[in-house]
């Protein structure tokens, strides 16, 4: 009986505590449900909605801008900057609705700043590097770049990383700190680029004829530009031929077509001039031996012996 009584009393005590806490919670909710708080909530939500409308209008205006000074890279950079400002304003407004003062938040951030700083060293490094990448102008969306052994087209530039689409259709995310600390090659940075092709001619070729013939090749390629002008020169005497080099300028977007056209044109002009491109040849000689038993070749005209004669 005593155990039943103790259990009953414990249950009653737990029930009273539950009812007390429930009553306190209800009182707290009733305290929040005041006209003042309601108008404050409606005003805050209305302000966030207005900020969202303004944000969307600004982003749409940036995307539809046809200004010559506003390229894709600058549009993307400005859109990201406005997006981050919008997020910060929304967070501050929500904190204000919850009754959290900004001064108290900054004080708490100062206390936790050291711990968070050690944990976020990489992110902070990428963020700072991202500011340099965005403002430096060394790359922009659509450029073909090579960085840290990866080659591809820049799809997106963010504050933390750059997204590159490789030629085999792989998306590679490169941290901005890697871009800052590595050698970066931007193929599209200038309006034109140069291609050099090495070719060899036979030693029996007249060198003046060879150089004049090679100079005719760029004219057969429609994607080769006239300024800077193409050039051809001798580049040394090799073991099997005279080395020559042809250089031509073209727009980066015409890389593959220019390369194919130049090789075809070089072969065409050399063939028309009767010039031979040498290639390595291998002569194989078999030494004849009078004694076939030591593995040499049989003398001419002698038939092969039976297998029994070799035993």
């Amino acid at each position: 009986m005593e155990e039943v009584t103790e259990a009953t009393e414990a249950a009653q005590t737990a029930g009273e505590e539950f009812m007390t806490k429930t009553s306190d919670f209800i009182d707290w909710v009733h305290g929040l449900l005041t006209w003042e708080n309601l108008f404050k909530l409606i005003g805050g939500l209305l302000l966030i909605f207005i900020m969202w409308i303004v944000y969307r209008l600004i982003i749409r205006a940036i995307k539809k801008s046809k200004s010559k000074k506003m390229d894709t890279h600058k549009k993307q950079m400005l859109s990201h900057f406005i997006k981050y400002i919008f997020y910060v304003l929304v967070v501050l407004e929500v904190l204000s609705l919850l009754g959290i003062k900004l001064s108290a938040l900054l004080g708490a951030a100062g206390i936790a700043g050291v711990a968070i700083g050690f944990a976020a060293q990489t992110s902070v490094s990428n963020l700072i590097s991202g500011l340099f990448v965005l403002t430096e102008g060394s790359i922009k969306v659509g450029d073909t770049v090579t960085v840290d052994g990866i080659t591809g087209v820049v799809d997106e530039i963010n504050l933390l990383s750059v997204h590159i689409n490789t030629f085999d259709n792989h998306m590679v995310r490169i941290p901005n700190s890697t871009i800052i600390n590595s050698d970066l090659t931007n193929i599209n940075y200038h309006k034109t680029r140069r291609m050099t092709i090495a070719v060899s001619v036979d030693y029996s070729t007249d060198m003046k004829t060879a150089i004049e013939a090679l100079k005719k090749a760029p004219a057969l390629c429609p994607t080769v530009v006239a300024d800077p002008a193409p050039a051809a020169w001798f580049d040394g005497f090799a073991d099997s031929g005279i080395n020559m080099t042809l250089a031509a300028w073209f727009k980066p977007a015409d890389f593959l077509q220019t390369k194919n056209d130049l090789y075809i044109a070089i072969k065409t002009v050399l063939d028309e001039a009767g010039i031979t491109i040498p290639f390595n040849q291998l002569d194989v000689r078999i030494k004849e031996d009078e004694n076939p038993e030591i593995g040499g070749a049989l003398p001419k005209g002698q038939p092969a012996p039976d297998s029994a004669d070799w035993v």
Side-chain angles (χ1 to χ4, degrees):
M1 292 295 292
E2 293 180 358
E3 295 179 355
V4 175
T5 302
E6 292 177 357
T8 303
E9 292 176 354
Q12 290 177 352
T13 303
E16 291 175 357
E17 292 180 358
F18 175 76
M19 293 301 297
T20 301
K21 292 181 179 180
T22 302
S23 178
D24 293 340
F25 177 74
I26 293 175
D27 293 338
W28 178 74
V29 172
H30 279 299
L32 292 177
L33 297 178
T34 61
W35 287 107
E36 181 182 358
N37 291 337
L38 181 60
F39 284 125
K40 186 177 180 180
L41 177 62
I42 294 175
L45 293 177
L46 182 61
L47 179 60
I48 292 176
F49 180 69
I50 293 175
M51 288 191 300
W52 181 80
I53 292 178
V54 174
Y55 163 72
R56 295 302 304 172
L57 291 175
I58 294 175
I59 294 298
R60 181 176 299 179
I62 293 174
K63 291 182 178 180
K64 291 185 177 181
S65 175
K66 296 181 180 180
S67 175
K68 295 181 179 179
K69 297 182 179 180
M70 186 71 68
D71 56 13
T72 304
H73 169 67
K74 293 181 180 179
K75 288 181 181 179
Q76 190 179 77
M77 180 177 63
L78 185 59
S79 298
H80 285 306
F81 181 72
I82 294 176
K83 179 177 67 174
Y84 293 136
I85 292 179
F86 170 72
Y87 287 160
V88 170
L89 293 176
V90 170
V91 171
L92 292 177
E93 181 61 25
V94 171
L95 293 176
S96 177
L97 291 176
L98 295 176
I100 300 176
K101 296 182 179 181
L102 183 60
S103 58
L105 181 63
L106 292 177
I111 296 174
V114 177
I116 297 176
F118 283 108
Q121 284 183 358
T122 302
S123 297
V124 172
S125 175
N126 288 328
L127 181 61
I128 296 175
S129 300
L131 296 176
F132 283 105
V133 171
L134 290 173
T135 57
E136 187 180 32
S138 58
I139 61 173
K140 61 182 182 295
V141 175
D143 286 347
T144 301
V145 299
T146 299
V147 56
D148 200 27
I150 300 172
T151 302
V153 180
V154 178
D155 277 348
E156 189 174 353
I157 302 176
N158 298 316
L159 285 178
L160 295 179
S161 63
V162 172
H163 293 180
I164 293 180
N165 185 26
T166 63
F167 294 132
D168 50 0
N169 203 28
H170 291 169
M171 193 284 287
V172 180
R173 176 185 176 274
I174 302 179
N176 287 329
S177 58
T178 302
I179 295 179
I180 294 297
N181 297 323
S182 303
D183 294 333
L184 183 143
T185 302
N186 189 342
I187 298 174
N188 299 99
Y189 190 80
H190 298 288
K191 294 182 180 180
T192 57
R193 58 176 297 194
R194 192 182 75 168
M195 178 182 298
T196 57
I197 297 179
V199 62
S200 181
V201 297
D202 192 84
Y203 270 107
S204 61
T205 305
D206 180 71
M207 295 180 67
K208 292 183 178 180
T209 303
I211 197 70
E212 292 299 326
L214 192 61
K215 288 180 179 180
K216 297 177 182 178
L220 303 179
C221 305
T223 55
V224 172
V225 298
D227 186 21
W233 62 87
F234 292 104
D235 201 25
F237 298 100
D239 294 337
S240 58
I242 304 172
N243 291 338
M244 304 176 66
T245 300
L246 175 67
W249 295 83
F250 60 96
K251 295 180 179 179
D254 299 329
F255 172 76
L256 286 178
Q257 181 178 350
T258 304
K259 188 172 185 178
N260 290 332
D261 289 347
L262 278 177
Y263 274 102
I264 295 173
I266 291 172
K267 184 67 166 58
T268 300
V269 296
L270 293 182
D271 288 345
E272 291 177 353
I275 300 174
T276 303
I277 299 176
F279 56 92
N280 292 330
Q281 299 182 7
L282 179 63
D283 293 334
V284 180
R285 297 182 180 180
I286 301 177
K287 183 178 180 181
E288 296 183 355
D289 197 299
E290 298 180 355
N291 188 0
E293 294 185 1
I294 59 175
L298 292 173
K300 294 182 179 180
Q302 180 175 341
D306 294 336
S307 57
D309 297 337
W310 293 81
V311 178

